[in-house]
């Protein structure tokens, strides 16, 4: 009896909410994104507690960000809510590194299945234009309250981009990986540990848990996430959590949802190829400098 009752409740919710959506409907959802990073994986065990705390503070502006999703029935744009940093702010170094891997404004159109993203990479502007790809969501019956909204759980498996820094981790932390790594080195006596990128790996897939509310019946959400029968208010993906902190429905001053236009237009596959070539160049430069320069006294 519980499942038919749940379906009936959802049906009434959709009918009620759809009546309230006007033609010029618009909303704004504010999100807090936080990525955790285990410093012990990156040599933190050798650091003093004071030094570890300093690094964590410096990384905070890089790992914790605020975004605004402006949406209507078919379109949305997801932008970082950039705040002025105090003079001498501590996150500058990590922020400049992250800007090469963290995208700018992202436009999604669920009707035309189009996605556009403004992206800067090492000083060059790109416009990534591609088809909007969805996840195969598995709908659950579990619910929880986020603010004033009742949310339902959905899960999916997501393929991870090889340059997604949020899922990067140090290679070979376990015993099996250690033995494998030693075996690989033994096969290639010319292999050097001077390349820092050889220490980094990204999982091929991650599990995603999303919480959506049928009380706002649009299939939009933060970042790459969409495709559920309600606005996505929370996402848990690997070490990153994106949580909605505020929703404004039909604001008095509506904002035009404009497509990003600046930059060299490329597909996601083309952009990944550009990054791959650039990273390979950097690895070769780094390795050559260490092999040729020797150790300075």
């Amino acid at each position: 009896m519980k499942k038919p009752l749940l379906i009936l409740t959802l049906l009434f919710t959709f009918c009620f909410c759809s009546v309230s959506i006007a033609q010029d409907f618009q909303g704004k959802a504010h999100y807090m994104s936080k990525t955790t990073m285990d410093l012990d994986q990156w040599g933190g065990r050798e650091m003093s507690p004071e030094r570890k705390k300093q690094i964590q503070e410096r990384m905070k502006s890089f790992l914790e960000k605020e975004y605004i999703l402006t949406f209507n029935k078919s379109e949305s744009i997801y932008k970082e809510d950039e705040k002025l940093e105090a003079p001498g702010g501590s996150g500058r170094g990590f922020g400049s590194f992250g800007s090469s891997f963290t995208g700018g404004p992202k436009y999604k159109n669920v009707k035309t299945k189009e996605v556009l993203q403004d992206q800067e990479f090492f000083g060059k502007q790109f416009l990534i234009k591609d088809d909007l790809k969805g996840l195969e969501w598995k709908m659950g019956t579990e619910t929880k309250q986020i603010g004033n909204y009742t949310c339902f759980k959905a899960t999916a498996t997501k393929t991870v981009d090889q340059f997604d820094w949020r899922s990067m981790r140090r290679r070979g932390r376990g015993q099996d990986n250690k033995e494998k790594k030693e075996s690989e080195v033994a096969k290639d006596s010319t292999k050097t540990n001077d390349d820092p990128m050889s220490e980094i790996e990204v999982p091929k897939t991650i599990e995603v848990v999303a919480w959506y509310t049928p009380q706002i019946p649009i299939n939009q959400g933060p970042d790459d996430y969409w495709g559920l029968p309600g606005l996505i208010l929370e996402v848990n993906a690997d070490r990153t959590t994106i949580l909605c902190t505020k929703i404004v429905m039909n604001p008095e001053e509506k904002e035009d949802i404009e497509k990003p236009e600046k930059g060299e237009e490329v597909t996601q596959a083309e952009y990944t190829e550009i990054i791959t070539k650039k990273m390979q160049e950097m690895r070769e430069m780094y390795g050559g400098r260490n092999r040729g320069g020797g150790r300075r006294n």
Side-chain angles (χ1 to χ4, degrees), residues 5 8 11 29 32 35 57 66 100 107 155 162 178 236 238 254 257 260 271 292:
L5 182 59
L8 190 61
L11 180 61
M32 168 64 79
T35 300
E57 284 298 317
E66 295 180 15
S100 295
Y107 168 88
T155 58
Q162 62 179 309
K178 181 179 178 182
N236 296 287
D238 198 20
K254 291 185 171 55
I257 300 177
Y271 181 69

Side-chain angles (χ1 to χ4, degrees), residues 53 64 74 125 202 221 262 268 284:
K53 185 177 180 180
E64 298 180 17
S74 59
Q125 200 73 27
V202 177
K262 297 179 181 179
Q268 182 63 56
E284 290 172 357

Side-chain angles (χ1 to χ4, degrees), residues 255-273:
E255 178 182 330
D256 291 335
I257 300 177
E258 298 178 348
K259 298 180 180 180
E261 296 179 343
K262 297 179 181 179
E264 179 185 340
E265 188 173 308
V266 293
T267 63
Q268 182 63 56
E270 290 169 340
Y271 181 69
T272 300
E273 185 178 355

